[in-house]
C-alpha cells in the first residue's frame, strides 16, 4: 500500500523532516502554530486540522477507488467507519 504512511505526519505531531516526535511548539506565524524539532532543529508549521482532514479524505477516496473494503480503510487511515460510509454515500449521490 503506497503513501499511506504519510498519514501519521498529519494526524500526529511528528517532525516532517526526520520523523522524530521530539518537537515543541515555537510560537505562531501568520495564524499557524510553529514547531521546532529538538532532534534535527527543523522548524515548520503545524498542518491545520482542516487541511489534515482534507488530505485524509483524499486518501479515503483514493482507497475506495482501488476497491479497498471499508474495514481495511479504517485500519489504514484510522478514520472512523461511519465517516467512510458517509463519504461513500456522498460519492453515490
Ligand atoms: Zn526533526
Amino acid at each position: 500500500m503506497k503513501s499511506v504512511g504519510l498519514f501519521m505526519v498529519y494526524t500526529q505531531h511528528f517532525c516532517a523532516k526526520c520523523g522524530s516526535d521530539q518537537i515543541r511548539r515555537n510560537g505562531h506565524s501568520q495564524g499557524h502554530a510553529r514547531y521546532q524539532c529538538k532532534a534535527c532543529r527543523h522548524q515548520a508549521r503545524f498542518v491545520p486540522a482542516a487541511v489534515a482532514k482534507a488530505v485524509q479524505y483524499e486518501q479515503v477516496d483514493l482507497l475506495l477507488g482501488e476497491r479497498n473494503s471499508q474495514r481495511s480503510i479504517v485500519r489504514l487511515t484510522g478514520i472512523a467507519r461511519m465517516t467512510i460510509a458517509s463519504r461513500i454515500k456522498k460519492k453515490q449521490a
Side-chain angles (χ1 to χ4, degrees):
M1 214 32 83
K2 56 187 185 302
S3 74
V4 169
L6 275 176
F7 264 102
M8 303 313 281
V9 176
Y10 294 107
T11 54
Q12 291 182 30
H13 292 155
F14 291 124
C15 173
K17 198 176 181 188
C18 72
S20 168
D21 63 355
Q22 297 291 303
I23 63 176
R24 63 181 178 86
R25 277 178 179 269
N26 194 24
H28 284 77
S29 162
Q30 292 163 4
H32 297 297
R34 294 181 61 83
Y35 71 82
Q36 182 174 33
C37 174
K38 284 189 207 168
C40 72
R41 297 186 168 271
H42 175 64
Q43 284 190 58
R45 293 189 314 211
F46 282 122
V47 178
V51 173
K53 273 234 156 66
V55 171
Q56 284 191 321
Y57 287 159
E58 242 171 64
Q59 199 89 12
V60 169
D61 287 347
L62 191 79
L63 290 166
L64 285 170
E66 291 174 352
R67 296 181 176 278
N68 290 281
S69 70
Q70 288 182 41
R71 203 179 286 260
S72 69
I73 295 171
V74 169
R75 190 160 39 86
L76 290 165
T77 63
I79 294 172
R81 194 162 161 189
M82 289 300 291
T83 308
I84 294 165
S86 74
R87 293 289 301 169
I88 294 169
K89 271 196 187 143
K90 270 185 198 156
K91 278 164 78 80
Q92 287 170 343

